[in-house]
Amino acid sequence: MLRPIIHRTFAQCSVSRVAATWPCGEGQARLAAGFASSAALMKIYTKTGDAGASSLYSGERRSKDDAVFAALGDVDEVNSMLGLAREHARSLDPSLAAQLEAIQSRLLDVGSAVATPLHSSSEHKLQRVAFCASHTEQLERWIDEMSAQLPPLTQFILPSGGLAAATLHVSRSVCRRAERAVVPLVRSEATDAAVGVYLNRLSDYLFTAARYAALKAGEPETVWVKATAAPAGGDASA
């Protein structure tokens, strides 16, 4: 079993608990307090985006096809895929499911950081959404724990290994897309480099978690088989 790590959503956590469990401490606690106090007032539809623009946390209004919103959409898609993967993983290893739940919360933190551009946000807001390098270090610890239980990887493998594993592989692919969307924002110094590093390491984590889920499910990993000749009766390039 992996070490279970349980995180609740902002609205469910008290400020003191968040401050005690998140390495970023005070800034994240203030952000959590803001979400918790306004959770009951949030409305699903506001109509303010009907014309194709929306607001960042900095207060800026931008077109919904802006690079920042594209990155936010990709990060949100990773989170949704992890929700599906977590449901499949619950019956295999509750500790793995707990890790995925914790990562889902961290992806909301990633979104908060991306939605608060460094060059156009107040220092107060930047402090509230600061993303800590320690989150990446946690992923590395989990990767090392799972890797210690896995057989050596000697061949390329195809996404496979049961429902949980296959869903984690899809999550990994979507995570790579999210990383590609964030890279230009980091390059232009609109987003903290720690966010890009986290997404890069997360795809490594998801690959390892997929293999671990296959192991727990007792499912074989399908290996890549190189084509050695043209298909019978056809052209190899067809």
Side-chain angles (χ1 to χ4, degrees):
M1 293 282 285
L2 305 178
R3 290 200 303 270
I5 303 291
I6 302 294
H7 286 252
R8 292 181 175 85
T9 61
F10 284 140
Q12 293 172 316
C13 287
S14 67
V15 173
S16 60
R17 178 169 295 183
V18 173
T21 58
W22 282 353
C24 285
E26 184 179 353
Q28 293 284 15
R30 288 199 300 268
L31 181 61
F35 279 131
S37 63
S38 62
L41 303 177
M42 292 176 65
K43 193 172 184 178
I44 296 300
Y45 63 91
T46 63
K47 303 183 181 181
T48 58
D50 289 354
S54 190
S55 296
L56 299 177
Y57 181 56
S58 63
E60 296 175 74
R61 295 284 298 179
R62 294 193 186 184
S63 172
K64 290 186 178 183
D65 61 1
D66 184 88
V68 170
F69 286 119
L72 289 172
D74 288 339
V75 171
D76 184 42
E77 191 173 345
V78 180
N79 212 333
S80 296
M81 284 305 309
L82 288 184
L84 180 59
R86 179 166 60 90
E87 291 304 309
H88 289 311
R90 287 172 61 187
S91 61
L92 293 179
D93 188 335
S95 298
L96 176 59
Q99 288 182 9
L100 296 175
E101 181 180 347
I103 292 168
Q104 287 185 278
S105 287
R106 298 294 68 74
L107 286 173
L108 288 182
D109 297 340
V110 165
S112 296
V114 171
T116 314
L118 295 175
H119 50 64
S120 58
S121 301
S122 68
E123 186 62 29
H124 173 66
K125 287 187 175 180
L126 289 174
Q127 288 178 358
R128 294 181 73 176
V129 302
F131 194 83
C132 295
S134 60
H135 300 322
T136 299
E137 294 167 359
Q138 177 65 79
L139 290 179
E140 291 169 350
R141 286 191 290 271
W142 285 336
I143 291 171
D144 291 343
E145 288 177 8
M146 289 187 288
S147 296
Q149 303 178 55
L150 293 171
L153 189 62
T154 59
Q155 302 179 74
F156 289 112
I157 60 171
L158 306 180
S160 55
L163 282 174
T167 307
L168 286 164
H169 278 298
V170 176
S171 302
R172 168 185 56 80
S173 300
V174 178
C175 184
R176 284 299 190 195
R177 171 153 45 86
E179 181 190 2
R180 291 193 295 272
V182 166
V183 163
L185 302 178
V186 173
R187 186 186 302 123
S188 65
E189 299 183 347
T191 299
D192 191 342
V195 171
V197 173
Y198 183 83
L199 291 173
N200 184 36
R201 203 70 77 254
L202 179 57
S203 62
D204 297 330
Y205 167 91
L206 293 172
F207 178 77
T208 308
R211 297 196 64 217
Y212 179 82
L215 177 70
K216 286 293 183 178
E219 296 281 354
E221 294 179 302
T222 305
V223 300
W224 166 65
V225 178
K226 180 177 174 59
T228 56
D235 186 341
S237 63

